[in-house]
Amino acid sequence: MFYKIGSVLLLGILVSGCIKTDNLLQRDPTSREYYKLDTRDLRLCRGETTNCFGLSHIASARHHLRPMEARYGQRVNGPNYPVNFARMLINPPAGSYTAEQVSDRYYHLPVNEWTDTAWESLENVYKAHYDRRL
């Protein structure tokens, strides 16, 4: 009995290694449509994906925010840098885009040159903290 179950499990493991999974796990199309800002946890995500950056590290890597500050025409100020960063995203200068509040906690921000610059700044902050090759 155990021999049959073991054989079936082994066969399943071997066959599953041969299946191409690219089409089984589709990429989330929302990742190209909008950014999702979580104002409670202070995180920015690509759509509904788990590709997210926390805003907590920006205070210690402020020089990486210069491209965003130049684009938005203002500085990310303290004492609470992450909250100020989030406010800049929600209230962009000169109506360059509209942040859509989808709940008391979440905002959807369009993918455009403004929000892409903010995303790239967060990416650089993350790399400064976690990528030892830099």
Side-chain angles (χ1 to χ4, degrees), residues 42-75:
L42 294 173
R43 294 168 23 112
L44 186 65
C45 301
R46 293 290 308 224
E48 297 299 325
T49 69
T50 57
N51 186 8
C52 304
F53 291 112
L55 307 183
S56 61
H57 296 296
I58 62 174
S60 59
R62 288 206 3 80
H63 60 283
H64 291 292
L65 301 180
R66 289 185 184 131
M68 182 207 178
E69 292 173 334
R71 166 91 49 205
Y72 282 71
Q74 54 185 310
R75 297 202 46 133

Side-chain angles (χ1 to χ4, degrees), residues 30-37 44-47 51 107-112 114-120:
T30 63
S31 68
R32 296 189 187 271
E33 294 175 6
Y34 60 86
Y35 292 100
K36 184 176 183 180
L37 177 64
L44 186 65
C45 301
R46 293 290 308 224
N51 186 8
Y107 285 84
H108 287 178
L109 311 170
V111 174
N112 60 30
W114 300 81
T115 55
D116 283 344
T117 302
W119 180 262
E120 290 164 9

Side-chain angles (χ1 to χ4, degrees), residues 37-44 52-62 65 76-86 89 118 121-126 129-130:
L37 177 64
D38 181 339
T39 58
R40 187 183 76 195
D41 291 341
L42 294 173
R43 294 168 23 112
L44 186 65
C52 304
F53 291 112
L55 307 183
S56 61
H57 296 296
I58 62 174
S60 59
R62 288 206 3 80
L65 301 180
V76 178
N77 293 318
N80 196 333
Y81 293 95
V83 169
N84 190 268
F85 187 96
L89 292 172
S121 295
L122 287 174
E123 199 168 39
N124 289 333
V125 168
Y126 178 84
H129 280 279
Y130 297 108

